Amino acid sequence: MVAEATMLAFNGLVKPWSVKDSCSSGCNAAPTKVPLSVEFRGLRKESFALFKTCGIQSSSSVSLVKRQRQIRDGKSQLRVQASASGGTQTFDYDVIIIGAGVGGHGAALHAVEKGLKTAIIEGDIVGGTCVNRGCVPSKALLAVSGRMRELQDEHHLKALGIQVDAAKFDRAAVAAHADNLATKIRGNLTNSMKGLGVDILIGVGTILAPHKVKYGKIGYPDRIVTGKNIIIATGSVPFVPPGIEIDGKSVFTSDHALKLEWIPDWLAIVGSGYIGLEFSDVYTALGAEVTFIEALDGLMPGFDPEIGKLAQRVLVNPRKIDWHTGVLAKKITPAKDGKPVIIELVDTKTKEPKEVLEVDAALIATGRAPFTKGLGLENVKVETQRGFVPVDERMRVLDKQGNTISGLFCIGDANGKMMLAHAASAQGISVVEQITDNDNVLNHLSVPAACFTHPEISMVGLTEPQARKKAEEEGFKVSIAKTSFKANTKALAENEGEGLAKLIYRPDTGEILGVHILGLHAADLIHEASNAIAMGTSIKDIKFAVHAHPTLSEVLDELFKSAKVDEPSSVSRSVNREPVPV
Ligand SMILES: Cc1cc2nc3c(=O)[nH]c(=O)nc-3n(C[C@H](O)[C@H](O)[C@H](O)COP(=O)(O)OP(=O)(O)OC[C@H]3O[C@@H](n4cnc5c(N)ncnc54)[C@H](O)[C@@H]3O)c2cc1C
Ligand SMILES: NC(=O)c1ccc[n+]([C@@H]2O[C@H](COP(=O)([O-])OP(=O)(O)OC[C@H]3O[C@@H](n4cnc5c(N)ncnc54)[C@H](O)[C@@H]3O)[C@@H](O)[C@H]2O)c1
C-alpha cells in the first residue's frame, strides 16, 4: 500500500500541507499521522506526514520521494513528497532492484514515479552491459564506421557532387569517443536515479530469503535490507563456447572489442548474430578484413530469411568479408610466440573436422549467458534453466514446482525472454505496474529490435516462417506486402535507395504479424509498426494515417497501403458517414 503526502516548509517550520489519497480500493480511512524527518536548509527537522489511506499505520515506513525548493511570498519553502508503505509487515523498501543496468534503471525510475520507496543494488558500475559494454559504446563506434563508409564511398559522394580527400581516422580518438559516451550516459543514469530519490547501494546482492537481500563489498561488512518486492535485473555476460580460450588481446569478446585497442588486418568473427554483424560493420570500415564463422547453415540465421539474404547482398558481399557456415569453432588458440590465432572448425552436424584457419584475431560473438551466479536463488528454491531465471508472462519468478514466489520478479537478460535493453526496461515498468495494482503484461511481439549496421536492419513481431507456422497451427491465412526504398523520394535524395520493407499480415483481419526493414534509418522507422502492434491497430486503420512528404516514413505508408485486407476500415467507414467540415 502506498500513499503520498505533500509537505510545505516555511523558514524552518515543516508542517503537513495537503494529503493525496492514492488508495486504489477507495477506502474512507481517517488520516493517520506518520513520523517523518525532513532536511531543511541543511538541518534535519522532525515532523509528520498525514496519510489517508487504508493499511497505513503510524508504524509505517516513510520515505521522501521528491524535494523541491520554491520561493513563495518571498519566502524559501521546501515542498516534500513522501511515500509510505503500510500494512502489517514493514520493509525497508517497497522495491529493491538487484542490478543497475538499463532494466534496473527503468524499473527504479518508474517505481519512484509511482511513489514507491526504492533501492537499487549494483555490484559493479551503474549502467550495466548496455551503457558500459554494449549498446552505448558500440553505437559510438558504429557512428564512426557509418561516416568512414560514406567518406570512403567515392561513387556515392560523386553522385551527390561531393569531392573529399582520403578519409582518415585516429584509432585512439575513436576509442575515446566510445568511452566518453559511456561515461556520460552512465553519469546521466546515476544522476537521474539520485535526483529522484532512489537509494543506490553498492555491493553484490544475494537473496537470503523472500523479501531479504544481503549486499556487500569485499573488505566491508555485509548489510541486509528487506523489500516488499525484489526485482532481479542482473543481466548477462558474453557466452564463450568450451574450447575457446580468451586472452583479451588476440581472442576476445565484445567487452574487449569495444575498447578498440588495435585493428587486426584479419579478424575472424565467430557468430553472425547482432554482435557479429555490427562489429563486422565497424572493423571493415576501419580497414580490417573479416571472416565469419557461423554454426548454422546461413549467415544471420536469426533474421527473417528474405531480409537475411538481402543483408548478405548489401552488408556482406560488397565488403572485405568471407564466411564459413555450417561449422563450429571447436577450438581457438590465441596468438603466441609469433604464431597467429588458430581456429579449428568442425562440421556442426557431423562434428567431423573441416578446416583450420590462421588469423590475426578472433572476436567471439556466440550469444550471451545470464549472470545469475551467487544470487542466492537456491535460498528461495529457484532452479535456473541454463542459468536463466524462470519467469511467467508477468516476470514473476517461478520456483522448482512452477509456483510464483511472493514479491520476487526477474527482468532483462537474466530471464532470457528478449535480450534487448529496451525490453529489459519495459519488463521493469510492467513489474512496477503490477505491484502498484495495475495488471500489466508486456506483449513481446510488439517489442522492436534493430541492428545498427549501414544501412540498418529492424524488425518487430514474427518472421515469415514463424508466421506461416502459427497460421498453420491456428488455421488462418498469411499475406506478404513489400515496398522498396528505391521508390522513396527522401531515400533517393540521399542516394540511399538500397532497402526493403516487408509486412507479414492476416488478410482476413488486417492484423500486423511482423514488419522487417533493411534500409536507411530502419531502426527509427520500425516504431510505427511496433506501436501499431502494441496498440492493436489494424492495417485497415493505419493505412489512413498521413505521413509528411518527402520522408522515409513513406516507405511504411506505402507498405500498409499496399496490403490487401478483406474487410473495409473502421476509419474509412466513419469518415464516410460523418464528414468533418474543414
Ligand atoms: C556489444 C553489445 C551491443 C548491444 N547493443 C544493443 C543495442 O543496440 N540495443 C539493445 O536494445 N540492446 C543491445 N545490447 C543488449 C543490451 O546491452 C542488454 O540486453 C541489456 O544491457 C540488458 O539489460 P539488463 O538490465 O538486463 O542487464 P545488464 O545491462 O547486464 O545489467 C545488469 C547489472 O547487474 C549488475 N549485477 C549483476 N549481478 C549482480 C548482483 N548479484 N548484485 C548486484 N549487481 C549485480 C551488473 O553489474 C550490471 O550492472 C547489446 C549488447 C552487447 C553486448
Ligand atoms: N542492436 C542490438 O539490439 C544488439 C546488438 C548487439 C547485441 N544484442 C543482443 O546481444 C545478444 C547477444 O548477441 P550475439 O550476436 O552474441 O548473439 P546472437 O544469438 O544474436 O548470435 C550468435 C550467433 O552465433 C552462432 N554460434 C553460436 N555458437 C557458435 C560456434 N561455436 N561457432 C560458430 N557460430 C556459433 C549462432 O548460430 C548465432 O548465429 C543478442 O541476444 C542480442 O539481442 C543486441
Side-chain angles (χ1 to χ4, degrees):
M1 191 65 67
V2 172
E4 282 184 9
T6 309
M7 317 274 300
L8 202 63
F10 286 96
N11 286 336
L13 255 183
V14 182
K15 50 187 180 185
W17 188 57
S18 71
V19 179
K20 191 177 155 205
D21 185 353
S22 62
C23 175
S24 57
S25 57
C27 69
N28 284 320
T32 308
K33 271 188 189 178
V34 180
L36 170 71
S37 72
V38 289
E39 199 176 288
F40 184 65
R41 289 187 175 166
L43 293 172
R44 278 205 101 67
K45 300 275 173 196
E46 296 310 314
S47 183
F48 59 90
L50 271 179
F51 288 98
K52 200 183 114 223
T53 300
C54 56
I56 300 294
Q57 301 168 347
S58 48
S59 61
S60 296
S61 86
V62 177
S63 65
L64 297 188
V65 293
K66 204 170 170 185
R67 298 154 202 245
Q68 203 180 6
R69 258 181 212 290
Q70 293 182 330
I71 302 292
R72 209 164 107 176
D73 305 331
K75 290 175 188 160
S76 168
Q77 299 167 359
L78 180 71
R79 198 164 161 178
V80 179
Q81 265 191 5
S83 79
S85 319
T88 43
Q89 206 179 345
T90 56
F91 298 101
D92 299 323
Y93 292 97
D94 296 316
V95 188
I96 297 174
I97 300 156
I98 310 178
V102 277
H105 175 258
L109 291 201
H110 197 56
V112 283
E113 193 190 314
K114 290 281 205 167
L116 301 179
K117 186 180 182 192
T118 306
I120 195 160
I121 301 176
E122 174 52 54
D124 185 18
I125 46 173
V126 168
T129 306
C130 178
V131 174
N132 303 298
R133 301 172 295 275
C135 333
V136 172
S138 66
K139 265 75 258 178
L141 296 185
L142 281 155
V144 174
S145 73
R147 282 184 173 77
M148 283 301 293
R149 251 172 226 298
E150 199 169 8
L151 293 172
Q152 287 167 346
D153 188 345
E154 226 176 277
H155 180 69
H156 170 75
L157 292 175
K158 213 169 166 186
L160 295 168
I162 299 172
Q163 288 170 9
V164 178
D165 288 342
K168 290 187 191 134
F169 66 93
D170 170 351
R171 182 201 52 77
V174 176
H177 168 54
D179 191 41
N180 292 342
L181 185 68
T183 306
K184 187 181 166 102
I185 305 289
R186 184 166 62 240
N188 291 351
L189 242 70
T190 310
N191 292 340
S192 64
M193 290 196 287
K194 280 189 183 159
L196 289 169
V198 176
D199 285 349
I200 303 177
L201 312 176
I202 299 299
V204 174
T206 304
I207 300 170
L208 296 177
H211 309 287
K212 196 188 265 187
V213 183
K214 167 184 97 169
Y215 72 97
K217 278 194 285 191
I218 296 168
Y220 292 86
D222 285 339
R223 289 173 179 230
I224 292 176
V225 277
T226 59
K228 189 168 178 194
N229 299 284
I230 293 171
I231 304 177
I232 299 167
T234 50
S236 66
V237 290
F239 165 71
V240 179
I244 297 179
E245 191 190 329
I246 300 284
D247 69 351
K249 293 188 177 78
S250 62
V251 182
F252 45 78
T253 67
S254 54
D255 287 357
H256 311 100
L258 287 165
K259 294 189 183 137
L260 207 70
E261 277 169 358
W262 66 301
I263 296 163
D265 288 339
W266 187 3
L267 174 69
I269 300 185
V270 185
S272 65
Y274 284 81
I275 294 183
L277 202 56
E278 287 188 350
F279 276 100
S280 75
D281 194 291
V282 171
Y283 277 87
T284 53
L286 302 185
E289 291 184 23
V290 163
T291 295
F292 272 124
I293 295 164
E294 170 54 56
L296 297 182
D297 286 339
L299 289 179
M300 298 159 274
F303 296 158
D304 178 89
E306 195 172 0
I307 295 290
K309 264 193 205 143
L310 181 61
Q312 172 145 357
R313 189 162 66 71
V314 177
L315 299 170
V316 176
N317 296 351
R319 300 181 181 175
K320 287 186 175 167
I321 302 178
D322 68 355
W323 60 89
H324 299 260
T325 54
V327 287
L328 285 170
K330 177 90 176 113
K331 187 163 186 240
I332 303 189
T333 314
K336 227 183 288 166
D337 307 328
K339 286 194 200 133
V341 172
I342 297 168
I343 306 179
E344 296 174 34
L345 301 179
V346 298
D347 186 285
T348 305
K349 289 181 193 118
T350 64
K351 304 287 179 291
E352 291 294 317
K354 286 280 281 196
E355 242 176 288
V356 176
L357 301 180
E358 293 187 355
V359 294
D360 297 321
L363 163 62
I364 312 306
T366 48
R368 300 199 41 100
F371 190 65
T372 49
K373 230 171 81 187
L375 196 51
L377 289 166
E378 61 287 356
N379 298 330
V380 279
K381 299 189 173 47
V382 171
E383 242 171 36
T384 58
Q385 293 164 1
R386 292 179 300 115
F388 291 106
V389 179
V391 291
D392 68 3
E393 74 285 2
R394 287 176 174 77
M395 311 303 135
R396 294 179 294 202
V397 176
L398 303 173
D399 68 12
K400 286 178 201 163
Q401 274 75 42
N403 301 316
T404 57
I405 299 165
S406 161
L408 188 62
F409 301 85
C410 177
I411 61 168
D413 282 11
N415 70 30
K417 273 189 180 282
M418 208 173 203
M419 291 178 121
L420 294 171
H422 46 282
S425 183
Q427 290 173 358
I429 290 169
S430 173
V431 166
V432 171
E433 283 296 305
Q434 288 165 55
I435 62 186
T436 49
D437 295 334
N438 291 322
D439 192 25
N440 186 293
V441 177
L442 176 67
N443 175 9
H444 285 84
L445 285 174
S446 74
V447 178
C451 193
F452 295 82
T453 42
H454 298 91
E456 295 168 344
I457 306 172
S458 63
M459 65 223 76
V460 64
L462 304 175
T463 61
E464 188 176 338
Q466 287 168 339
R468 296 215 179 272
K469 185 166 176 275
K470 184 175 155 84
E472 208 177 299
E473 285 162 5
E474 296 177 19
F476 61 82
K477 267 171 79 180
V478 167
S479 290
I480 307 289
K482 290 177 214 168
T483 44
S484 164
F485 279 61
K486 285 196 177 74
N488 179 274
T489 309
K490 184 72 187 291
L492 292 177
E494 300 283 344
N495 197 28
E496 300 270 6
E498 192 74 81
L500 173 84
K502 173 175 175 178
L503 167 67
I504 304 158
Y505 67 102
R506 280 184 69 153
D508 55 344
T509 60
E511 185 190 348
I512 302 168
L513 299 171
V515 173
H516 303 261
I517 311 172
L518 184 150
L520 184 63
H521 296 309
D524 293 296
L525 292 177
I526 197 68
H527 294 94
E528 183 166 8
S530 61
N531 289 345
I533 295 177
M535 305 295 159
T537 311
S538 159
I539 297 167
K540 291 181 289 184
D541 295 329
I542 203 169
K543 69 199 293 178
F544 288 92
V546 181
H547 297 70
H549 176 74
T551 59
L552 294 170
S553 73
E554 288 170 300
V555 171
L556 285 204
D557 188 22
E558 287 297 315
L559 187 67
F560 294 131
K561 283 192 165 76
S562 66
K564 306 264 178 294
V565 182
D566 298 345
E567 280 174 44
S569 147
S570 57
V571 172
S572 69
R573 272 186 270 124
S574 72
V575 167
N576 289 342
R577 255 188 272 126
E578 296 168 55
V580 182
V582 181

